[in-house]
Amino acid sequence: MRYALVAALAAAVAAGAGCASRPVNERIAKVDLASGYRADLRVANRPNNDPRTLIILAFSGGGTRAAALSFGVLEELRRTEITVGGERRRLLDEVDLVSGVSGGSFTALAYALHGEQLFDEYETRFLKRDVQGALVARAFNPLYWPKLVGGTYGRSELAADYYDEILFGGATFASLLDRPTPMALVTGTDLSTGARLVFTQSDFDVLCSDVHKVSLARAAAASSAVPIVLSPVTFNNYGGTCGHRYPDLVADLLRPEHRSRPAGRALMRLRELRDFERSGERPFIHVVDGGISDNLGLRGVLEGLEVLEASPEFRASAGLDRLDRVAVIVANARSAPRTDWDRHETPPGIVAQLLQSSSVPIDRNSYELIQLMKDTAERWESQRQLVVARQRLAGATEGEARARVRRIAAFAIDVSFDAIADPDERGYFMNLPTTLALPSETIDRVREIAGRLLRESPEYQKLLEDIRRP
């Protein structure tokens, strides 16, 4: 999808004429922190969910390859049985949050909407459909040309209409409020500043807008709006007009004396959000592919874990003060197609250089985020061991010391093609293109390898051990 559409869409736009308008997100007069599609409310009120376990899934970008890999992770979690309170359950039932960007946003939103039904329909409705071919066909269809030129209805709006037809059926974020499924955190990137915009009411509070009227298809289109190939998705910004204020626990993060450790990432995110409040200077926010700011859908997760660690008030307000364990499972669909550039004296062309210069920083940034996630897990365990050691020095026995220390185990699980042992098999997956059309047998192989990599992950096995321990 990322690159093959450029010429086709440009030709269609040049041929068209018209004045179609985009959907306009609605304004809110006053913020209501006690209701809406918010992570703290959804996690605290999940039905039939073990409050001792917090499981977060992060689905990366990467077109259909990413959608298939993330779906394979869901399928493996669905196959995995555990016992909670004497009751046999699936590990999938314990998932609380699903973060998704770009290609991964389709799986995240579709699972939040369809739940169990998705396992029967996702193949035919999306994964094994030639989405890219359909978008190109619409771009060349004269019936759609009047919409594409002269108004605010862009190429991504055309894509959103198609996603709505095949996958979302007119659903909005209001449609997710009564679903028992995990919360979907789908992210786009503010084209002007590079800041993340997450499709939750908490972020839309800053815009003084109602996320519940936003269609899921439009959120997926924004999160996967690759610059140049697809147009930005534009939202009206009413920030600063609805009495929005940050919760007291956020203000606490600003006061060093109230923090157990610095929460630098969370504070940087707060500064980003405050920039959205300047609606007088920024009445419109143009949103593009979420992978530009966070190709793993992991930044918000890391910020949340940082606040969780720094603020007991946050843990209590979100119903997380009884936590025994936190697990983050990343479906990382990064690929690295081989090139022969280094065999020739002449460097690659301008387009190839442009694509490579944008993808390399994204991949490097993704690697850093994975390491930060693993570092967080190791730090939590080190801190616990340190407190236990201090209790021992004070005269407690080993058993007494461990009993006195609040234990929150952290598990960082990375499902990526890099972990494939066989070099030929790894090469096959690492050379898969970023597109919204892959052969059926490729989709099946990606789903199968996702389950296998998750099962073989030592950290995943530790998580299962921890959950199954009396």
Side-chain angles (χ1 to χ4, degrees):
M1 180 187 71
R2 289 187 179 245
Y3 319 121
L5 286 175
V6 177
L9 291 175
V13 168
C19 192
S21 298
R22 63 179 173 87
V24 175
N25 51 300
E26 294 187 14
R27 181 197 295 261
I28 58 174
K30 187 177 180 181
V31 170
D32 180 7
L33 296 175
S35 65
Y37 199 65
R38 305 174 187 276
D40 53 343
L41 300 181
R42 295 284 297 182
V43 172
N45 298 306
R46 282 291 310 284
N48 303 316
N49 187 265
D50 184 2
R52 298 169 301 172
T53 302
L54 177 66
I55 297 181
I56 302 168
L57 309 182
F59 296 160
S60 80
T64 299
R65 181 184 72 246
L69 187 75
S70 54
F71 187 58
V73 167
L74 289 179
E75 290 179 306
E76 182 62 26
L77 295 173
R78 187 177 183 237
R79 289 189 289 262
T80 304
E81 288 193 346
I82 58 173
T83 301
V84 177
E87 178 188 350
R88 298 292 292 174
R89 297 170 58 81
R90 306 166 310 174
L91 190 55
L92 181 62
D93 299 322
E94 297 304 319
V95 174
D96 299 280
L97 298 170
V98 183
S99 171
V101 295
S102 201
S105 69
F106 293 98
T107 307
L109 287 170
Y111 180 58
L113 177 65
H114 297 295
E116 278 299 301
Q117 188 180 348
L118 191 71
F119 295 99
D120 298 323
E121 300 180 354
Y122 199 40
E123 266 191 35
T124 54
R125 294 181 74 160
F126 187 79
L127 286 182
K128 295 186 177 180
R129 186 187 291 262
D130 185 0
V131 174
Q132 178 167 307
L135 293 177
V136 171
R138 291 195 175 199
F140 274 114
N141 188 334
L143 292 175
Y144 294 99
W145 292 353
K147 289 185 172 184
L148 290 172
V149 174
T152 56
Y153 181 99
R155 300 185 297 279
S156 287
E157 304 293 354
L158 184 73
D161 287 346
Y162 181 66
Y163 303 151
D164 210 34
E165 291 173 21
I166 65 173
L167 190 58
F168 298 113
T172 66
F173 281 91
S175 307
L176 304 182
L177 288 173
D178 60 352
R179 295 290 199 276
T181 49
M183 182 170 187
L185 301 173
V186 170
T187 301
T189 302
D190 174 12
L191 183 60
S192 296
T193 66
R196 288 176 294 115
L197 179 67
V198 186
F199 287 85
T200 66
Q201 189 54 55
S202 299
D203 272 28
F204 270 62
D205 282 346
V206 184
L207 304 183
C208 290
S209 183
D210 187 359
V211 79
H212 304 115
K213 304 291 179 61
V214 176
S215 73
L216 303 185
R218 200 158 184 254
S223 186
S224 57
V226 180
I228 302 176
V229 179
L230 292 164
S231 60
V233 176
T234 301
F235 293 90
N236 286 37
N237 182 15
Y238 314 105
T241 66
C242 59
H244 171 260
R245 58 184 291 270
Y246 296 95
D248 291 340
L249 64 92
V250 174
D252 285 346
L253 290 176
L254 299 173
R255 294 194 283 272
E257 67 273 15
H258 288 177
R259 300 201 305 260
S260 59
R261 65 182 301 275
R265 279 186 293 272
L267 293 175
M268 180 178 178
R269 175 62 178 158
L270 180 60
R271 285 193 291 270
E272 286 182 351
L273 291 173
R274 283 176 167 170
D275 193 56
F276 284 124
E277 295 178 331
R278 298 185 295 110
S279 62
E281 302 169 40
R282 308 185 64 201
F284 303 103
I285 304 297
H286 305 289
V287 182
V288 295
D289 194 318
I292 295 174
S293 56
D294 175 14
N295 198 45
L296 294 179
L298 198 53
R299 284 197 177 279
V301 174
L302 286 169
E303 290 161 4
L305 292 178
E306 191 172 67
V307 176
L308 181 70
E309 184 177 359
S311 172
E313 294 85 358
F314 173 76
R315 291 196 294 273
S317 69
L320 303 177
D321 47 341
R322 293 174 290 168
L323 272 182
D324 286 337
R325 63 192 65 86
V326 176
V328 181
I329 302 174
V330 181
N332 180 6
R334 184 187 79 87
S335 67
R338 286 187 293 267
T339 70
D340 63 351
W341 299 339
D342 297 335
R343 296 179 179 272
H344 306 281
E345 182 178 359
T346 305
I350 293 175
V351 174
Q353 292 179 49
L354 177 63
L355 298 178
Q356 185 73 352
S357 62
S358 63
S359 63
V360 168
I362 288 175
D363 289 342
R364 297 286 182 182
N365 187 39
S366 297
Y367 174 81
E368 294 296 332
L369 288 176
I370 291 288
Q371 296 309 307
L372 283 170
M373 182 182 70
K374 293 178 178 178
D375 290 347
T376 297
E378 291 175 2
R379 185 177 66 250
W380 285 20
E381 179 58 23
S382 297
Q383 289 173 346
R384 187 175 76 89
Q385 295 290 356
L386 180 62
V387 176
V388 168
R390 287 172 178 166
Q391 293 282 336
R392 292 294 309 279
L393 287 173
T397 66
E398 180 76 15
E400 290 170 340
R402 293 191 177 278
R404 293 174 186 171
V405 177
R406 177 66 178 156
R407 172 192 179 274
I408 304 181
F411 302 89
I413 302 159
D414 180 25
V415 178
S416 63
F417 301 138
D418 292 300
I420 300 173
D422 181 81
D424 292 332
E425 186 180 31
R426 183 171 63 251
Y428 170 82
F429 289 104
M430 293 297 285
N431 276 278
L432 292 178
T434 299
T435 172
L436 280 182
L438 289 175
S440 177
E441 60 272 17
T442 301
I443 296 293
D444 292 337
R445 287 191 66 176
V446 173
R447 289 163 61 187
E448 187 277 331
I449 197 67
R452 200 176 90 204
L453 290 171
L454 185 56
R455 287 192 303 274
E456 293 175 354
S457 165
E459 198 69 7
Y460 181 64
Q461 292 304 320
K462 288 180 185 177
L463 168 65
L464 294 179
E465 247 178 67
D466 198 74
I467 291 175
R468 289 166 176 163
R469 184 172 54 204

